[in-house]
Amino acid sequence: PKSVHMLSLPLLAPPANVYVYAQEALDPNVIWARRVGMWTVAEAPSRTVDSVAEVRLSLRFERPAAAGPGLVQLLFFHSSELSLLGTTDSDGRRALCCTDRAAAAGACRRAGMLVVRGDGEADEQQPGVWVRDVPFRGPEATGAVDATVRVSRSGVHYLLLASCAPSTGSVLVSGSTAWLNPHGYLPAELYAFLPFFGAMAALYSALLALWVGLCVRHRSLLLPLQVYIGGVILLGWLEAVTWYRDYDLFNAGGSRGVVPIVLGVLASTAKKTVSRLLLLVVCLGYGVVRPTLGATASRVCALGIAYGVASALHDIAANVSQLSEASAPLRLLGILPVFVLDVLFYWWLFGALTATIGQLSAPRSGTRIPVLQLALERTTSPLHSAAFRCPHCTRTPSYSRAALKTLHDAAAPP
């Protein structure tokens, strides 16, 4: 028989917590999987008096060419219940769907259904594996599920839509599923970003006001570099405000638009790029031992543009798509250009800073050396950059790819 395929979120869709199905085809031997972090009301970091922790299902199923009986199943469960799903044959192979061969061997009870070992709970108020069958009797062409499933344990939860019986045929799925945490629609793993960026926006506002006040007070003594520093602070404020607004809208409405994500990524990229360029020109001696950069300015701009473009493309792909679900080579392809440009930046910084400190070693130049020594400490960041970037090339989130791999491994029938 044909293999069972596990389908998770598409790679080119931003994450959401209200999933809308518009006549999407669920074919035989296919399982759809959704995965979201959920809090219970008692353990949620933020909640109101009428807070709930639940998943609301409103789905309609239609068979365009109904010929015989069929079945679609829905499963909702905590990640700790993954071991209850599927069966293992004598060769060590796992399968989620019960096949004729597995049923004949006594590994499962009925062919054409998901294998749920132990007590599959149908009570929406109780923990365990929540199971709901949508049977099609004879030539029956339609079915529906309207249910609310309570979350009884904090952690990552899965929702599976499965069509294990080949006789079911193609089923068109319409409707929606809404995952509601006590604090709103934000998944539990993303909630911390909301207060974090709110606090960052407040801190950047205070810092920007202080910097502008100092610049106005000492405007007759201002250096161009100090104006550029103010620009970096402004970009940091814009980044924090944009991301806070993005997560606030996500929490309130359950979906995440592409435009706010792109704006946030561009603000973050602009801040990172300008701050690196600012540090580089200081190490090159601009405003310290030379009034202009001369011909070096074009190379600095070229490196800044290359880094900005590479970083923006990678960050947009990581935020708009489900990049963590991509293969290691694909993630490496996105991370490697940014990593190489980071190393190139810091290699240039070390060389330029060493040369500039050499010029400042002359008499009466010592008062500016501490500033560049501080910059030298800042250039130790390539080690941090390497330590941060390289693990991301192959890292697997503990609750996502590894867990879905368990489901994938169980997808093929024994």
Side-chain angles (χ1 to χ4, degrees), residues 3 91 107 144 176 219 274 288 321 377 397:
S3 298
D91 297 327
S176 65
R219 56 186 176 277
V274 174
V288 181
S321 70
E377 295 175 3

Side-chain angles (χ1 to χ4, degrees), residues 162-390:
S163 177
C164 290
S167 61
T168 303
S170 181
V171 178
L172 299 180
V173 183
S174 303
S176 65
T177 62
W179 303 63
L180 192 60
N181 269 298
H183 50 72
Y185 286 102
L186 263 179
E189 63 270 23
L190 296 181
Y191 174 74
F193 288 111
L194 185 61
F196 172 77
F197 282 113
M200 289 296 294
L203 290 174
Y204 268 119
S205 298
L207 180 60
L208 185 61
L210 176 62
W211 189 262
V212 170
L214 291 174
C215 288
V216 171
R217 180 179 179 183
H218 303 286
R219 56 186 176 277
S220 60
L221 303 175
L222 280 182
L223 297 174
L225 285 176
Q226 292 166 322
V227 177
Y228 302 152
I229 291 173
V232 172
I233 297 174
L234 178 61
L235 288 172
W237 174 84
L238 180 61
E239 173 194 19
V241 169
T242 303
W243 283 120
Y244 176 79
R245 184 58 176 164
D246 172 43
Y247 285 108
D248 185 51
L249 291 174
F250 189 178
N251 191 51
S255 60
R256 199 175 183 189
V258 174
V259 173
I261 296 176
V262 173
L263 290 178
V265 167
L266 293 179
S268 301
T269 301
K271 188 194 71 171
K272 290 190 296 184
T273 304
V274 174
S275 61
R276 280 166 169 73
L277 292 178
L278 184 59
L279 181 62
L280 178 58
V281 298
V282 170
C283 293
L284 287 169
Y286 177 70
V288 181
V289 296
R290 55 197 298 186
T292 65
L293 293 177
T296 308
S298 59
R299 288 186 292 164
V300 172
C301 291
L303 182 59
I305 292 173
Y307 178 83
V309 171
S311 182
L313 290 177
H314 171 260
D315 290 347
I316 289 175
N319 283 275
V320 174
S321 70
Q322 299 298 303
L323 191 59
S324 63
E325 302 301 331
S327 62
L330 184 59
R331 283 179 282 156
L332 179 63
L333 184 63
I335 293 172
L336 191 58
V338 181
F339 172 72
V340 171
L341 289 171
D342 256 337
V343 172
L344 182 59
F345 249 120
Y346 291 116
W347 175 80
W348 195 356
L349 284 176
F350 271 117
L353 188 57
T354 301
T356 303
I357 289 179
Q359 296 180 44
L360 290 175
S361 298
R364 294 183 298 177
S365 297
T367 55
R368 292 183 177 179
I369 289 181
V371 176
L372 293 179
Q373 288 175 336
L374 179 63
L376 180 60
E377 295 175 3
R378 175 66 177 85
T379 57
T380 58
S381 294
L383 300 179
H384 301 154
S385 178
F388 178 77
R389 295 283 183 187
C390 286

